Amino acid sequence: MNLLGSAGAIFLIILNLVVILLGLGLIIIGSLVYKESGLVNDDISPVLNAITGGDFTLSDLIRIIAVVIIVIGVFSFLVSGAGIIGTCGKFRPVLVVYMVIVFLCGVTEIFVLAEVAKLKIKLNNAIKGELLKVLSYYKGYNLDLISIAWNLIFYLFECCGVNKQSVVDDFQSTAWSRGSDVIPGYCCREATLTTAATLNGTSCTMTPTAQNAYMNSGCYDFLNDRLTKYSDGVVSVASFILLTELMAIVATLILFWQITVDVDHKKAAKRTGRVIDMPASGGDQLQMESGVVTSTAVV
């Protein structure tokens, strides 16, 4: 193998090692997004499921993003492993399969990312209006599903209302009979899950400030920022993987060509280097050596 082929093989192995590491990272990140983001939570799903964009809800989109991250990671890991095996073993069939799979994965990734981006745009346009609509059913400390979900959102995500409550009072349009309170106890910084409901009538709920409550943190901003962070992260990492896959295809083509040239040279060397002795006939002995036919007379 000449210098170009050797360089292509080394480059391809390095690329695949990088993609394997990225694949493992994506699997871990996708699992964390799905399990620990706080957005995939059955207790707050009544609110998130009310935010729709066509056939999908906000909960669906978050799950889709997490699953896409995991699937891209798994395929990147497996395909890159096959690429390393084919490169180290110089197995041309494996390299061909590797190139085809990488190409198909790249096309699929582009399609899926485009669809996720379209869905995110649809939901972004609907999120604030849908959140305000769902908040209108909020009843404070009642034990209905909507109120429980909103209270958990306020507490878990450290936000209050849909908009910033220092700018807009969203709770005046809700079903909550709040009396002299301005915000629920779950919006207070000192609140816990066990004490939040007892904070009504305190300075935090009656005269909230940015120091004692989440007055400058609207839940729309939190959800939108979190969704954007996840989707932008997926697009960035997937784009980098697509770039490495493109370079891997080029390197594989170079390596495949070099392996083919080496195989052809070895076959040619075997053909031209073989000595064939043929039996004497009519007193002549024919010899073929190095592709040259000679005749020797016997006297």
Side-chain angles (χ1 to χ4, degrees):
M1 186 179 295
N2 62 18
L3 181 61
L4 180 61
S6 299
I10 294 173
F11 183 65
L12 185 58
I13 291 173
I14 294 174
L15 277 181
N16 281 299
L17 287 174
V18 170
V19 174
I20 283 178
L21 293 176
L22 286 174
L24 288 173
L26 286 175
I27 294 172
I28 295 172
I29 292 172
S31 300
L32 291 175
V33 169
Y34 194 90
K35 294 181 179 180
E36 300 181 11
S37 66
L39 295 179
V40 182
N41 186 319
D42 291 337
D43 293 324
I44 66 175
S45 60
V47 172
L48 300 185
N49 287 336
I51 305 170
T52 61
D55 298 328
F56 292 92
T57 67
L58 182 57
S59 291
D60 293 332
L61 179 59
I62 296 167
R63 287 185 172 91
I64 288 171
I65 290 175
V67 171
V68 167
I69 295 173
I70 295 172
V71 170
I72 291 176
V74 171
F75 270 94
S76 299
F77 180 83
L78 295 178
V79 173
S80 295
I84 291 177
I85 293 173
T87 302
C88 294
K90 299 180 182 179
F91 301 132
R92 286 185 293 176
V94 175
L95 290 176
V96 171
V97 173
Y98 168 75
M99 282 190 291
V100 173
I101 294 177
V102 168
F103 176 78
L104 293 177
C105 286
V107 173
T108 303
E109 286 173 18
I110 293 173
F111 174 77
V112 171
L113 290 175
E115 291 302 311
V116 170
K118 290 179 183 178
L119 181 58
K120 178 178 177 294
I121 291 174
K122 288 182 181 179
L123 284 172
N124 274 348
N125 295 334
I127 284 177
K128 181 173 283 190
E130 294 288 344
L131 282 174
L132 288 170
K133 181 180 177 180
V134 179
L135 185 64
S136 67
Y137 301 112
Y138 179 71
K139 298 178 181 179
Y141 305 108
N142 283 16
L143 297 180
D144 60 288
L145 292 178
I146 293 295
S147 298
I148 291 173
W150 271 117
N151 287 330
L152 283 174
I153 288 174
F154 299 152
Y155 173 75
L156 294 174
F157 303 151
E158 299 183 349
C159 60
C160 192
V162 176
N163 300 287
K164 295 179 180 180
Q165 294 310 287
S166 59
V167 178
V168 181
D169 183 6
D170 291 331
F171 293 102
Q172 66 180 348
S173 302
T174 67
W176 177 32
S177 300
R178 57 181 176 173
S180 58
D181 286 342
V182 176
I183 60 172
Y186 288 90
C187 291
C188 295
R189 294 184 182 276
E190 65 178 290
T192 66
L193 287 176
T194 55
T195 63
T198 65
L199 293 176
N200 58 307
T202 63
S203 59
C204 170
T205 58
M206 296 175 63
T207 56
T209 65
Q211 285 69 42
N212 62 13
Y214 306 120
M215 295 297 288
N216 292 327
S217 301
C219 294
Y220 165 76
D221 290 334
F222 172 85
L223 291 172
N224 189 54
D225 291 346
R226 184 65 63 91
L227 193 60
T228 299
K229 181 178 73 173
Y230 289 155
S231 59
D232 288 352
V234 172
V235 171
S236 299
V237 176
S239 298
F240 180 76
I241 290 178
L242 283 172
L243 179 61
T244 58
E245 287 174 344
L246 178 61
M247 292 188 292
I249 289 175
V250 174
T252 304
L253 287 172
I254 295 174
L255 181 60
F256 183 87
W257 169 78
Q258 185 59 53
I259 293 174
T260 302
V261 170
D262 288 348
V263 171
D264 291 342
H265 284 170
K266 289 179 181 179
K267 289 181 178 179
K270 286 182 179 180
R271 286 197 302 268
T272 58
R274 183 179 299 141
V275 177
I276 301 177
D277 293 327
M278 300 185 68
S281 177
D284 290 338
Q285 184 181 22
L286 297 178
Q287 290 183 332
M288 181 181 291
E289 183 174 0
S290 300
V292 180
V293 178
T294 60
S295 177
T296 305
V298 179
V299 294

